[in-house]
C-alpha cells in the first residue's frame, strides 16, 4: 500500500526547527535536529512531491543486504551516488559503498556492492526536492558547496520472533559531514527510536520517526546516533520500517 501525504492541521512550532533559520542555528548549537514531517512538507514545496506514491512504493522491491556480518536477513537496501556543486545535483555512475571498521565495526572494512536506486526514483521530484533541501542546508552549515552524496533506501523487517535492527552496528558515526534520515513509512512496528549522543556516548536526546517526512538531521563530525530495534505489533501482518538516508561529504 502506498503511503499518502495527507493535509496536516496547523501545529505549534517545533522547538528544534520552527524555521529554516532556527533549524540552522539549532544544528550549530547542538549538532543535530528533529524535524517533523508537517514542517518538512512546507520546506520541500509539497506541490512538487508529485511522485510520492511511486517514491514510497519503490521500497517494496528491494533485495536483501547480503553483507550482514551478524547473519541477519532483516535488512533490504538500495544505494546511489550523486554529486553536488554550486551548479546543481548530478547522478553519478553506480558505485560500491565503503565504510572503514572505525565507523562500522560490524559490516565495515569491505567494499559492498548494493543494487542501484532506480533512476526514475533518484531523479524524480521527491528525491530531488530532498537533495536540494540538503544541499542548501548543508552548504550553509559547512560553508561549502562541492559534495559527494550517497543515498540509501533501507527497509528493516521485523518478525514475531525476531527484531529488526536499523543500526546493527550500534551507536555510531557514518564517517561523513552531514546525515539526513527521513521516514518514508512504518507498518505494524513499535519502537525504532532514534538516540543522539556526544562523542563520549552520553545520550543527548531521543525521538521516534513515525510519520512520512519526519527527519533526523545530524552533524556527523560532532554527534553519534543509533536507532533501537523495531518489533512486530500484530504477528499476523507484515512489519517493516522504511527510511531514506542521505549523506553529504565534502569533496
Amino acid at each position: 500500500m502506498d503511503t499518502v501525504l495527507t493535509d496536516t492541521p496547523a501545529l505549534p512550532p517545533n522547538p528544534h526547527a520552527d524555521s529554516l533559520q532556527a533549524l540552522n542555528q539549532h544544528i550549530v548549537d547542538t549538532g543535530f535536529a528533529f524535524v517533523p514531517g508537517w514542517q518538512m512538507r512546507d520546506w520541500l514545496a509539497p506541490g512538487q512531491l508529485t511522485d510520492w506514491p511511486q517514491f514510497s512504493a519503490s521500497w517494496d522491491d528491494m533485495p536483501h543486504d547480503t553483507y550482514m556480518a551478524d547473519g541477519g536477513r532483516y535488512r533490504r537496501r538500495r544505494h546511489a551516488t550523486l554529486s553536488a556543486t554550486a551548479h546543481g545535483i548530478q547522478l553519478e555512475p553506480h558505485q560500491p559503498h565503503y565504510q572503514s571498521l572505525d565507523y562500522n565495526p560490524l559490516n565495515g572494512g569491505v567494499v559492498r556492492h548494493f543494487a542501484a536506486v532506480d533512476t526514475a526514483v533518484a531523479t524524480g521530484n521527491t528525491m530531488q526536492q530532498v537533495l536540494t533541501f540538503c544541499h542548501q542546508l548543508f552548504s550553509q552549515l559547512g560553508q561549502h558547496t562541492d559534495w559527494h552524496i550517497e543515498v540509501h533506501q533501507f527497509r528493516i523487517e521485523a518478525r514475531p520472533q525476531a527484531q529488526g535492527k536499523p543500526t546493527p552496528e550500534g551507536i555510531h558515526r557514518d564517517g561523513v559531514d552531514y546525515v539526513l534520515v527521513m521516514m518514508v513509512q512504518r507498518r505494524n512496528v513499535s519502537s525504532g527510536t532514534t538516540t543522539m549522543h556526544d562523542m563520549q556516548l552520553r545520550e543527548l536526546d531521543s525521538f521516534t520517526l513515525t510519520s512520512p517526512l519526519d527527519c533526523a538531521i545530524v552533524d556527523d563530525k560532532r554527534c553519534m546516533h543509533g536507532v533501537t530495534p523495531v518489533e512486530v505489533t500484530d504477528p499476523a501482518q507484515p512489519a517493516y520500517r522504511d527510511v531514506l538516508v542521505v549523506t553529504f561529504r565534502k569533496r
Side-chain angles (χ1 to χ4, degrees):
M1 180 182 296
D2 293 340
T3 302
V4 178
L5 294 178
T6 57
D7 290 334
T8 306
L11 297 175
N14 184 277
H16 286 192
D18 58 359
S19 70
L20 283 171
Q21 183 178 1
L23 173 64
N24 185 296
Q25 189 60 52
H26 186 81
I27 297 171
V28 169
D29 292 342
T30 67
F32 67 92
F34 163 74
V35 182
W38 61 267
Q39 179 69 83
M40 284 296 296
R41 285 189 66 199
D42 288 343
W43 290 340
L44 295 178
Q48 300 300 316
L49 304 182
T50 54
D51 66 336
W52 179 267
Q54 295 84 5
F55 176 80
S56 62
S58 68
W59 268 255
D60 294 333
D61 181 27
M62 296 202 299
H64 280 103
D65 182 341
T66 59
Y67 292 92
M68 300 299 297
D70 64 358
R73 296 280 290 175
Y74 51 81
R75 182 156 80 179
R76 298 177 183 270
R77 73 190 295 179
R78 289 185 183 272
H79 171 255
T81 302
L82 303 96
S83 60
T85 68
H87 302 292
I89 298 167
Q90 177 176 318
L91 181 64
E92 298 291 341
H94 191 50
Q95 303 170 29
H97 176 59
Y98 180 81
Q99 286 178 298
S100 73
L101 288 169
D102 292 335
Y103 296 115
N104 191 331
L106 178 66
N107 298 318
V110 296
V111 175
R112 291 180 283 171
H113 295 264
F114 298 115
V117 175
D118 186 86
T119 300
V121 173
T123 60
N125 287 342
T126 297
M127 185 75 81
Q128 290 300 306
Q129 287 284 319
V130 173
L131 294 175
T132 298
F133 170 83
C134 290
H135 189 206
Q136 293 172 345
L137 176 65
F138 298 154
S139 293
Q140 184 176 7
L141 286 167
Q143 297 297 298
H144 191 81
T145 59
D146 192 1
W147 301 94
H148 172 86
I149 305 170
E150 295 192 49
V151 167
H152 306 262
Q153 293 179 292
F154 286 105
R155 169 167 286 185
I156 303 300
E157 298 173 323
R159 294 178 175 80
Q161 303 302 322
Q163 297 175 324
K165 302 175 185 178
T167 55
E169 66 271 41
I171 298 166
H172 66 285
R173 290 176 54 212
D174 286 348
V176 296
D177 289 282
Y178 298 102
V179 181
L180 177 139
V181 181
M182 187 183 83
M183 174 57 59
V184 176
Q185 59 182 330
R186 288 168 57 110
R187 180 176 181 184
N188 191 36
V189 294
S190 61
S191 194
T193 297
T194 298
T195 59
M196 300 303 310
H197 305 260
D198 65 16
M199 293 304 176
Q200 288 72 48
L201 298 181
R202 294 174 296 203
E203 185 169 327
L204 302 172
D205 201 356
S206 64
F207 43 83
T208 304
L209 308 181
T210 57
S211 300
L213 298 179
D214 280 359
C215 288
I217 301 173
V218 185
D219 182 336
D220 194 59
K221 292 187 178 297
R222 295 174 54 199
C223 292
M224 306 181 77
H225 64 281
V227 183
T228 61
V230 293
E231 300 180 348
V232 172
T233 301
D234 179 356
Q237 299 295 325
Y240 51 81
R241 176 184 188 265
D242 292 349
V243 299
L244 175 73
V245 175
V246 180
T247 66
F248 271 56
R249 176 170 54 81
K250 292 179 181 179
R251 294 198 301 181

